[in-house]
Amino acid sequence: MAATATPALTLRQLRFSWPRQPAPCLDIAGFSVAAGERVFLHGPSGSGKSTLLALIGGVALPQQGSVEVLGQRLETLSARARDRLRADDIGFLFQQFNLLPWLSAIDNVLLPCTFSASRRQRASAAQPARAEAERLLTQLDLAPDSWHTRAGELSVGQQQRVAAARALIGGPALLIADEPTSALDAARQQIFVDLLLREAAAAGAALIFVSHDHRLARHFDRTVALADINRAASEVAA
Ligand SMILES: Nc1ncnc2c1ncn2[C@@H]1O[C@H](COP(=O)(O)OP(=O)(O)O)[C@@H](O)[C@H]1O
Ligand SMILES: [Mg+2]
């Protein structure tokens, strides 16, 4: 995966406006993330970070320009093909974790393998997928006595590790994390970010990590301020 020269992400002449909003939210001439590159993207609340991630995930489509993910231009794909690309090749880590509270930690980690045959195959290449889920949880410092606890009963820090393992299972080539640390104190945030960086590197995955807190940036390959690539932001500020 890491060996491929295909960039994880290429944006070209991208323009996106939300319906009934007078000003464009995003206007990005060009931006790319290399295969395996780990990028820290920061910007204030409301600056369009989550919107950009929705475009990268193919959940929203731009009015103009192109979003190319792992060599595939999303605007040329059917909705079904975009769903498949997202399920097979993108690991999402959300601010609110989006775990299923009634499922155990381990069954939450295994969820992507039920939606994607290719993630299931990659997860179970060396050992059963369940053993791979356990390996990831161990790497992320979640003790075995929590593996069978329902996600709704775990602490915030534990839920976050489960969500990270779920994003990582089956080796998606692109990991997207949308402010996943905001519920943690500063020391725990840095520990979690370091774990995520290490696991992304081990998997050869590109990582786009979004936060409004640039103190977390120091161990990333590159730091980007959204305002520096988004011309819409300067229009609003001007
Ligand atoms: N579903 C939506 N419909 C309309 N406007 C939206 C929607 N989601 C976000 N916005 C607007 O887009 C702008 C950027 O929001 P967002 O991408 O959530 O920023 P951030 O993640 O940086 O906090 C805000 O002005 C917000 O109100
Ligand atoms: Mg956001």
Side-chain angles (χ1 to χ4, degrees):
M1 239 179 306
T4 175
T6 307
L9 173 70
T10 307
L11 307 177
R12 295 184 193 88
Q13 303 301 337
L14 177 86
R15 280 178 78 91
F16 177 81
S17 306
W18 284 107
R20 294 177 296 281
Q21 298 281 335
C25 176
L26 295 170
D27 179 358
I28 299 175
F31 178 67
S32 56
V33 174
E37 188 181 21
R38 298 165 306 165
V39 174
F40 184 86
L41 181 68
H42 66 96
S45 184
S47 61
K49 303 184 300 297
S50 294
T51 301
L52 178 57
L53 297 185
L55 293 168
I56 296 168
V59 183
L61 289 175
Q63 283 84 18
Q64 288 176 40
S66 121
V67 178
E68 189 171 317
V69 175
L70 303 164
Q72 303 222 53
R73 287 177 55 178
L74 299 187
E75 67 279 4
T76 68
L77 301 180
S78 65
R80 193 187 168 90
R82 285 196 303 273
D83 288 347
R84 184 101 322 273
L85 176 68
R86 189 183 321 118
D88 289 347
D89 296 314
I90 305 182
F92 278 97
L93 184 48
F94 297 100
Q95 186 166 12
Q96 307 301 337
F97 314 136
N98 296 8
L99 299 177
L100 297 185
W102 60 89
L103 289 184
S104 69
I106 205 112
D107 285 338
N108 268 283
V109 176
L110 286 166
L111 270 180
C113 298
T114 67
F115 294 121
S116 163
S118 59
R119 282 181 76 172
R120 183 165 63 244
Q121 279 161 15
R122 291 192 300 255
S124 55
Q127 55 186 348
R130 187 164 287 269
E132 172 62 5
E134 292 175 359
R135 187 193 69 81
L136 284 166
L137 289 172
T138 302
Q139 288 299 311
L140 288 158
D141 289 338
L142 194 83
D145 58 7
S146 307
W147 292 352
H148 301 286
T149 305
R150 296 197 312 170
E153 290 162 22
L154 297 171
S155 73
V156 170
Q158 289 172 326
Q159 288 186 33
Q160 185 173 50
R161 283 147 204 261
V162 173
R166 186 180 60 179
L168 287 158
I169 198 162
L174 176 59
L175 291 167
I176 291 179
D178 193 358
E179 309 212 37
T181 59
S182 45
L184 298 186
D185 62 55
R188 285 176 176 273
Q189 282 182 15
Q190 192 63 60
I191 290 168
F192 177 75
V193 168
D194 289 343
L195 282 173
L196 197 60
L197 284 166
R198 194 185 65 199
E199 286 306 306
L207 170 64
I208 301 175
F209 185 101
V210 161
S211 177
H212 59 265
D213 184 354
H214 58 262
R215 286 173 304 181
L216 295 171
R218 56 192 167 144
H219 298 306
F220 285 78
D221 298 322
R222 182 156 57 112
T223 297
V224 178
L226 181 56
D228 286 348
I229 59 170
N230 183 20
R231 295 179 296 201
S234 56
E235 282 164 27
V236 171

